[in-house]
Amino acid sequence: MTNHDYDEQRNFARMNIKTQITYKIKNSDGRSYQGISGDLSATGLYMTDVPLKEDDEIELVMTPSGDRLPPFVAEAKVLRATVDEEDSNKFHVSIELTKTA
């Protein structure tokens, strides 16, 4: 087991990055959708406001505000997707990054 100095025992630290994400669901109609990132790690991403289902595979582009960083482009798979208990139009989605550009 890896020893970390942060409370949550994960293999990689998570960065709190709240920015817009554009994504497409693979093998669908090719439409683009918008979501909001919550945090990012080396292998995963948490998003809200996206009606995705478990096992959906997506292509995503995260564009940080400002022009200091280039867009982050990746392919990913949805691990968990739940509806918010207080707002049924809001979703909580955990994503595994499968390929980054």
Side-chain angles (χ1 to χ4, degrees):
M1 180 183 241
T2 307
N3 186 13
H4 299 287
D5 291 334
Y6 49 91
D7 290 337
E8 198 169 329
Q9 295 296 309
R10 297 183 182 266
N11 290 330
F12 299 99
R14 293 194 174 262
M15 296 178 289
N16 199 4
I17 298 176
K18 194 166 204 153
T19 191
Q20 183 172 324
I21 294 176
T22 301
Y23 69 93
K24 294 179 183 180
I25 302 171
K26 289 184 179 183
N27 302 318
S28 70
D29 60 8
R31 292 184 357 185
S32 292
Y33 301 92
Q34 304 292 317
I36 303 293
S37 65
D39 60 39
L40 174 70
S41 78
T43 60
L45 172 68
Y46 167 75
M47 292 173 36
T48 60
D49 301 334
V50 293
L52 290 166
K53 300 182 306 281
E54 192 173 310
D55 294 327
D56 277 348
E57 293 183 2
I58 64 171
E59 298 170 342
L60 65 89
V61 178
M62 182 187 311
T63 306
S65 59
D67 58 359
R68 296 184 312 215
L69 299 172
F72 175 74
V73 179
E75 293 180 15
K77 181 177 179 180
V78 176
L79 298 177
R80 283 179 302 284
T82 58
V83 177
D84 189 271
E85 292 179 8
E86 296 177 15
D87 181 351
S88 63
N89 293 316
K90 185 175 181 179
F91 298 82
H92 302 279
V93 181
S94 297
I95 295 172
E96 174 186 25
L97 300 175
T98 56
K99 181 179 178 183
T100 58

